[in-house]
Structures are given as structure tokens and as C-alpha cells.
Amino acid sequence: MLMLGREVNLPADLMFESCQPVQAQRVDDYVSHLTRVLRESHRLAREKLRHVQVRMKRNYDLRVLERTYGKGDKVYVLEDAVGRGKSRKLSPPWRGPGIIIDKLTPYLFRVQMRNKVLTVNHDKLKPCRDRQLPVWMTNFSPTEFHVDGDNSKEVYCMCRRPWDRRFMIQCDSCAVWYHGSCVNVTPSDALSIEQFKCKGCNA
């Protein structure tokens, strides 16, 4: 086989072990032996998986570029979704810039874009070091959007309800914030909208 690279036709007594009559086992002995073999197999599999997980995490951590961000930092957001009719290859990979308005966890941030608010993992952020920033960022004040949704009593949208940590989008004409569910806009749809106008502004 090593020389020819394939199985060679040989007599059956050379290819297989000699078939000797095996003494029959009792049912109890067979069950106990099978149970012992299965437990040992599972133990070896779990031990192997544990070693593999440790090795994979070590290799992943070597390639992770962890950055620390805070409120008010200017960042770019990695573009995951591509709008209908647009080519992913020709579309810019980064969207923004935006401003971090809330730090939910050490790795999860809420980013204020020009007309929407996104919740993004730090793996999809990169610092913005542009010398010239958009006008809306220079005029942006953190008090324009409350991040303490549980304590805020300010109402938005046509439904006149508070933020409640739901996805919202801002009209580019009247600067009013709307819940995405009220205007039938999902977070993935908002990534492909260049300018959003509410029904009142479109009328």
C-alpha cells in the first residue's frame, strides 16, 4: 500500500486477522465493559476539547487588538451590511465618523451617528483622527441624547413615548427622533439610508 498508494488485493488470511472463536460473554459483563469504555471515551474527548479551547483562545488573543474607548470619543464603524443595488467591493468599509455616547460593557458601546444610534462591539470600531470633522459633530452636545433611558422622561417619535433603549433614527429635515419600529426602519436598513425623512417632511 505504501509503495503503490492503494489497497492491494491479498488473500483474506493476510488482510484480516485470523478468526478465532471468541468465548461468549455474559450480558452483565458486556454491559459493564461497554459502560466503562464509553465513560473513558467521553473523558478523553472532554479533555481534548478543553486543551483545544485553551489553545484556540490563546491564538485568538494574540491577534486581538483591544482598544479602550470612552464617552465622547470619535470613531468609525465597520460597515457590515451593504445597501441593495450597491457593490460590497466598491463600497467603503468604514462608516462615520460617529461619537460614543454610552459604554454599556467594556466591549460594547453605543455610537451616535449623524442620524441614527448604533450599538457596536469594540472589534468593529476604530479611532477617528480626522483633522476636519462634520459640522454636526462639532455642534453635538451629549445632552441632546439621553443615555439613562430608565430615568429619562423625555418623549420622542409620533407615539410620544420615551427612548426605552430601543433603536431610533433622526429625521434629517426636522431633527426629530423616531423609533425604528414606528417608521418601519430596522438597524440594518438604517445603514443603507443616506438621508432619512419622516412622513411629515416628505409630504
Side-chain angles (χ1 to χ4, degrees):
M1 179 178 180
L2 293 177
M3 183 174 61
L4 301 178
R6 61 179 177 82
E7 291 285 351
V8 182
N9 295 328
L10 296 175
D13 55 350
L14 295 179
M15 295 180 61
F16 306 100
E17 297 181 359
S18 57
C19 298
Q20 299 293 336
V22 180
Q23 186 178 0
Q25 293 181 336
R26 294 189 307 171
V27 176
D28 296 340
D29 296 340
Y30 173 76
V31 172
S32 60
H33 173 71
L34 181 62
T35 303
R36 184 170 62 256
V37 170
L38 290 177
R39 287 179 179 176
E40 180 66 16
S41 301
H42 281 270
R43 186 189 66 81
L44 293 175
R46 293 191 190 98
E47 184 178 356
K48 184 67 175 179
L49 284 175
R50 185 167 57 252
H51 291 313
V52 171
Q53 290 174 352
V54 172
R55 185 176 71 252
M56 292 178 65
K57 184 180 185 305
R58 183 182 67 246
N59 296 337
Y60 176 80
D61 291 342
L62 291 176
R63 297 190 298 268
V64 169
L65 180 59
E66 182 177 352
R67 294 189 177 98
T68 56
Y69 298 99
K71 293 182 180 180
D73 290 348
K74 280 73 173 177
V75 294
Y76 278 98
V77 179
L78 183 64
E79 184 79 62
D80 285 337
V82 178
R84 183 177 299 177
K86 295 183 179 180
S87 173
R88 178 180 293 273
K89 184 181 295 184
L90 301 178
S91 300
W94 296 95
R95 186 178 183 88
I99 302 176
I100 294 179
I101 59 175
D102 193 11
K103 184 176 182 180
L104 304 178
T105 67
Y107 306 102
L108 198 62
F109 302 89
R110 195 178 298 277
V111 182
Q112 169 71 56
M113 306 300 285
R114 184 169 63 89
N115 58 354
K116 61 182 70 71
V117 178
L118 304 176
T119 301
V120 189
N121 188 280
H122 86 292
D123 289 343
K124 298 183 179 180
L125 296 176
K126 78 170 183 177
C128 173
R129 297 185 173 90
D130 298 346
R131 295 184 179 180
Q132 293 183 352
L133 297 175
V135 178
W136 74 268
M137 293 186 68
T138 57
N139 298 332
F140 178 79
S141 175
T143 58
E144 293 181 3
F145 195 88
H146 299 281
V147 296
D148 53 345
D150 298 335
N151 300 326
S152 176
K153 301 300 181 180
E154 187 173 355
V155 294
Y156 304 90
C157 189
M158 61 184 73
C159 63
R160 309 311 300 165
R161 292 183 179 179
W163 171 37
D164 290 337
R165 296 189 177 274
R166 296 160 57 191
F167 168 73
M168 299 186 69
I169 187 170
Q170 186 182 29
C171 177
D172 291 326
S173 298
C174 60
V176 176
W177 286 92
Y178 293 91
H179 297 108
S181 58
C182 295
V183 293
N184 295 326
V185 177
T186 63
S188 58
D189 294 337
L191 292 175
S192 59
I193 298 176
E194 296 296 335
Q195 286 189 349
F196 171 75
K197 291 185 179 181
C198 61
K199 293 183 179 179
C201 296
N202 280 328

